[in-house]
Amino acid sequence: MLRVGVMVSGGGTNLQAILDAVDAKKITNAEIAVVISNNPNAYALERAKNHGIDAVCISPKEFDSREAFNEAFLAKVDEYNLDLIVLAGFLVKIPAAMIEKYEHRIINIHPSLIPSFCGVGYYGLKVHEAALARGVKVTGATVHFVDSGMDTGPIILQKAVEVQEGDTPEVLQRRVMEQAEWVLLPQAIDMIANERII
Protein backbone atom coordinates (compact mmCIF):
# COMPACT_ATOMS: atom_id res chain seq x y z
CA MET A 1 0.00 0.00 0.00
CA LEU A 2 1.52 3.29 -1.16
CA ARG A 3 1.60 5.90 1.61
CA VAL A 4 0.85 9.28 0.07
CA GLY A 5 1.26 12.76 1.50
CA VAL A 6 -0.52 15.62 -0.26
CA MET A 7 0.78 19.18 0.07
CA VAL A 8 -1.60 22.06 -0.60
CA SER A 9 -1.67 25.81 -0.04
CA GLY A 10 -5.28 26.71 -0.81
CA GLY A 11 -8.75 25.31 -1.31
CA GLY A 12 -7.66 21.81 -2.17
CA THR A 13 -9.74 21.07 -5.27
CA ASN A 14 -6.99 18.77 -6.56
CA LEU A 15 -6.90 17.11 -3.15
CA GLN A 16 -10.67 16.59 -3.39
CA ALA A 17 -10.22 14.97 -6.82
CA ILE A 18 -7.68 12.59 -5.26
CA LEU A 19 -9.96 11.77 -2.30
CA ASP A 20 -12.91 11.18 -4.64
CA ALA A 21 -10.78 8.90 -6.82
CA VAL A 22 -9.69 6.87 -3.78
CA ASP A 23 -13.33 6.56 -2.66
CA ALA A 24 -14.39 5.52 -6.18
CA LYS A 25 -11.54 2.94 -6.36
CA LYS A 26 -10.01 4.81 -9.32
CA ILE A 27 -6.86 4.96 -7.19
CA THR A 28 -5.97 1.55 -5.76
CA ASN A 29 -3.13 0.31 -3.56
CA ALA A 30 -2.71 3.80 -2.08
CA GLU A 31 -3.78 5.61 1.07
CA ILE A 32 -3.59 9.31 1.87
CA ALA A 33 -1.59 9.38 5.10
CA VAL A 34 -1.38 13.14 5.64
CA VAL A 35 -2.29 16.50 4.13
CA ILE A 36 0.24 19.25 4.82
CA SER A 37 -0.33 22.96 4.20
CA ASN A 38 1.75 26.08 4.74
CA ASN A 39 -1.47 28.05 5.16
CA PRO A 40 -3.46 27.65 8.41
CA ASN A 41 -6.60 28.89 6.62
CA ALA A 42 -6.35 26.48 3.69
CA TYR A 43 -9.70 24.77 3.15
CA ALA A 44 -7.69 21.72 2.08
CA LEU A 45 -7.05 21.05 5.79
CA GLU A 46 -10.82 20.85 6.38
CA ARG A 47 -11.19 18.47 3.45
CA ALA A 48 -8.55 16.23 5.05
CA LYS A 49 -10.21 16.32 8.49
CA ASN A 50 -13.58 15.51 6.94
CA HIS A 51 -11.96 12.40 5.48
CA GLY A 52 -10.32 11.37 8.75
CA ILE A 53 -6.85 12.19 7.42
CA ASP A 54 -4.15 13.92 9.48
CA ALA A 55 -4.18 17.64 8.60
CA VAL A 56 -0.94 19.44 9.42
CA CYS A 57 -0.02 23.10 9.03
CA ILE A 58 3.62 24.08 8.98
CA SER A 59 4.33 27.60 7.78
CA PRO A 60 7.63 29.34 7.01
CA LYS A 61 6.21 32.32 8.94
CA GLU A 62 6.48 30.31 12.17
CA PHE A 63 10.28 30.07 11.89
CA ASP A 64 13.14 32.52 12.30
CA SER A 65 14.81 31.41 9.08
CA ARG A 66 14.06 29.48 5.92
CA GLU A 67 16.69 26.92 6.98
CA ALA A 68 14.85 26.29 10.26
CA PHE A 69 11.57 25.87 8.38
CA ASN A 70 13.16 23.52 5.83
CA GLU A 71 14.53 21.30 8.62
CA ALA A 72 11.21 21.20 10.49
CA PHE A 73 9.28 20.61 7.27
CA LEU A 74 11.46 17.66 6.27
CA ALA A 75 11.29 16.23 9.80
CA LYS A 76 7.47 16.45 9.74
CA VAL A 77 7.31 14.73 6.33
CA ASP A 78 9.69 12.00 7.54
CA GLU A 79 7.37 11.23 10.47
CA TYR A 80 4.80 9.81 8.07
CA ASN A 81 7.08 7.33 6.22
CA LEU A 82 5.71 8.44 2.86
CA ASP A 83 6.25 6.56 -0.37
CA LEU A 84 4.97 9.43 -2.51
CA ILE A 85 4.63 13.18 -2.00
CA VAL A 86 2.04 14.94 -4.16
CA LEU A 87 2.27 18.69 -4.65
CA ALA A 88 -1.30 19.75 -5.39
CA GLY A 89 -1.11 23.52 -5.53
CA PHE A 90 1.66 23.89 -2.95
CA LEU A 91 3.23 27.34 -3.18
CA VAL A 92 6.34 26.70 -1.10
CA LYS A 93 9.72 25.89 -2.62
CA ILE A 94 10.60 22.31 -1.75
CA PRO A 95 13.91 22.18 0.15
CA ALA A 96 16.85 20.67 -1.75
CA ALA A 97 17.40 18.14 1.03
CA MET A 98 13.84 16.86 0.61
CA ILE A 99 14.17 16.61 -3.19
CA GLU A 100 17.36 14.61 -2.70
CA LYS A 101 15.94 12.35 0.01
CA TYR A 102 12.69 11.70 -1.86
CA GLU A 103 14.18 11.57 -5.34
CA HIS A 104 11.68 10.26 -7.90
CA ARG A 105 9.01 10.17 -5.16
CA ILE A 106 7.66 13.74 -5.41
CA ILE A 107 5.18 14.67 -8.14
CA ASN A 108 3.62 18.01 -9.04
CA ILE A 109 0.62 19.13 -11.08
CA HIS A 110 1.20 22.20 -13.25
CA PRO A 111 -1.63 23.97 -15.15
CA SER A 112 0.02 24.12 -18.58
CA LEU A 113 1.58 21.84 -21.14
CA ILE A 114 5.20 21.96 -19.94
CA PRO A 115 7.53 23.38 -21.29
CA SER A 116 5.05 26.18 -22.04
CA PHE A 117 4.17 28.70 -19.32
CA CYS A 118 6.18 27.12 -16.54
CA GLY A 119 9.12 27.91 -14.30
CA VAL A 120 9.66 30.77 -11.87
CA GLY A 121 6.66 33.07 -11.55
CA TYR A 122 4.21 30.79 -13.36
CA TYR A 123 1.61 29.61 -10.86
CA GLY A 124 -2.13 29.86 -10.37
CA LEU A 125 -3.92 32.40 -12.55
CA LYS A 126 -0.60 33.78 -13.85
CA VAL A 127 -0.23 30.66 -16.03
CA HIS A 128 -3.64 31.17 -17.66
CA GLU A 129 -3.11 34.92 -18.07
CA ALA A 130 0.14 34.17 -19.92
CA ALA A 131 -1.52 31.54 -22.14
CA LEU A 132 -4.30 33.95 -23.13
CA ALA A 133 -1.86 36.82 -23.69
CA ARG A 134 0.17 34.57 -26.03
CA GLY A 135 -2.96 33.61 -27.94
CA VAL A 136 -2.49 29.84 -27.75
CA LYS A 137 -5.38 27.68 -28.98
CA VAL A 138 -4.52 24.75 -26.72
CA THR A 139 -3.32 24.63 -23.14
CA GLY A 140 -3.65 21.89 -20.53
CA ALA A 141 -1.97 20.38 -17.51
CA THR A 142 1.11 18.31 -16.75
CA VAL A 143 2.01 15.90 -13.95
CA HIS A 144 5.75 15.59 -13.53
CA PHE A 145 8.37 14.38 -11.11
CA VAL A 146 9.99 17.13 -9.05
CA ASP A 147 13.69 17.72 -9.42
CA SER A 148 15.96 20.56 -8.36
CA GLY A 149 14.66 22.88 -11.10
CA MET A 150 11.30 24.66 -11.34
CA ASP A 151 8.86 22.54 -13.39
CA THR A 152 11.80 20.75 -15.05
CA GLY A 153 11.42 17.14 -13.83
CA PRO A 154 10.47 14.19 -16.06
CA ILE A 155 6.90 14.36 -17.38
CA ILE A 156 4.51 11.59 -16.33
CA LEU A 157 1.24 12.64 -17.98
CA GLN A 158 -0.15 15.55 -19.98
CA LYS A 159 -3.63 16.41 -21.18
CA ALA A 160 -4.57 19.13 -23.65
CA VAL A 161 -7.49 21.51 -23.09
CA GLU A 162 -8.95 23.77 -25.76
CA VAL A 163 -8.85 27.53 -25.28
CA GLN A 164 -12.20 29.03 -26.26
CA GLU A 165 -13.20 32.40 -27.66
CA GLY A 166 -13.86 34.90 -24.89
CA ASP A 167 -12.06 32.92 -22.17
CA THR A 168 -10.99 34.84 -19.10
CA PRO A 169 -8.11 33.55 -16.98
CA GLU A 170 -10.65 32.40 -14.36
CA VAL A 171 -12.82 30.54 -16.88
CA LEU A 172 -9.80 28.90 -18.48
CA GLN A 173 -8.39 27.95 -15.08
CA ARG A 174 -11.64 26.19 -14.18
CA ARG A 175 -11.75 24.30 -17.49
CA VAL A 176 -8.12 23.16 -17.13
CA MET A 177 -8.85 21.95 -13.59
CA GLU A 178 -12.02 20.07 -14.56
CA GLN A 179 -10.79 18.56 -17.83
CA ALA A 180 -7.13 17.95 -17.04
CA GLU A 181 -5.85 18.46 -13.47
CA TRP A 182 -8.60 16.50 -11.69
CA VAL A 183 -8.17 13.67 -14.21
CA LEU A 184 -4.38 13.50 -14.44
CA LEU A 185 -3.37 13.71 -10.79
CA PRO A 186 -5.44 10.71 -9.59
CA GLN A 187 -4.37 8.79 -12.71
CA ALA A 188 -0.68 9.43 -12.01
CA ILE A 189 -1.01 8.36 -8.37
CA ASP A 190 -2.77 5.15 -9.41
CA MET A 191 -0.07 4.43 -12.01
CA ILE A 192 2.67 4.87 -9.40
CA ALA A 193 0.79 2.85 -6.77
CA ASN A 194 0.37 -0.01 -9.20
CA GLU A 195 3.91 0.22 -10.60
CA ARG A 196 2.84 1.09 -14.11
CA ILE A 197 5.59 3.70 -14.24
CA ILE A 198 9.03 3.64 -12.68
Side-chain angles (χ1 to χ4, degrees):
M1 183 73 77
L2 195 79
R3 286 180 60 79
V4 181
V6 183
M7 304 195 177
V8 193
S9 291
T13 53
N14 275 310
L15 168 64
Q16 191 63 54
I18 294 166
L19 296 174
D20 291 347
V22 170
D23 290 347
K25 307 276 189 281
K26 290 181 179 174
I27 296 175
T28 58
N29 294 326
E31 61 175 344
I32 310 304
V34 64
V35 171
I36 298 176
S37 181
N38 62 305
N39 174 7
N41 300 314
Y43 186 64
L45 295 172
E46 290 304 312
R47 294 181 194 268
K49 289 174 191 164
N50 292 341
H51 249 77
I53 296 166
D54 280 9
V56 175
C57 178
I58 182 163
S59 170
K61 293 174 184 168
E62 297 166 5
F63 296 87
D64 294 333
S65 69
R66 196 55 174 223
E67 291 71 28
F69 164 75
N70 286 348
E71 281 181 29
F73 182 41
L74 181 52
K76 179 55 71 177
V77 169
D78 285 348
E79 282 178 27
Y80 285 91
N81 298 312
L82 300 176
D83 301 304
L84 181 68
I85 295 168
V86 178
L87 308 182
F90 191 59
L91 302 179
V92 173
K93 191 174 190 314
I94 301 300
M98 185 182 293
I99 291 170
E100 193 174 316
K101 185 167 190 174
Y102 289 89
E103 185 179 8
H104 222 63
R105 290 193 290 152
I106 306 175
I107 64 172
N108 180 50
I109 182 86
H110 184 77
S112 77
L113 296 173
I114 290 174
S116 298
F117 313 114
C118 66
V120 177
Y122 285 102
Y123 60 89
L125 270 183
K126 293 178 189 300
V127 176
H128 306 292
E129 288 166 356
L132 291 173
R134 188 78 175 96
V136 298
K137 303 300 179 200
V138 175
T139 185
T142 304
V143 178
H144 65 95
F145 285 109
V146 173
D147 63 10
S148 57
M150 186 70 73
D151 301 327
T152 56
I155 290 171
I156 301 168
L157 292 168
Q158 289 186 308
K159 189 171 191 303
V161 174
E162 190 179 345
V163 178
Q164 296 178 8
E165 192 74 33
D167 271 351
T168 64
E170 292 79 7
V171 168
L172 184 57
Q173 180 182 49
R174 184 75 189 183
R175 188 179 312 118
V176 169
M177 286 194 295
E178 290 176 350
Q179 294 184 12
E181 293 181 48
W182 300 346
V183 175
L184 292 182
L185 203 49
Q187 191 180 344
I189 294 167
D190 186 62
M191 286 169 67
I192 293 167
N194 291 286
E195 299 181 345
R196 291 199 300 275
I197 56 173
I198 295 169

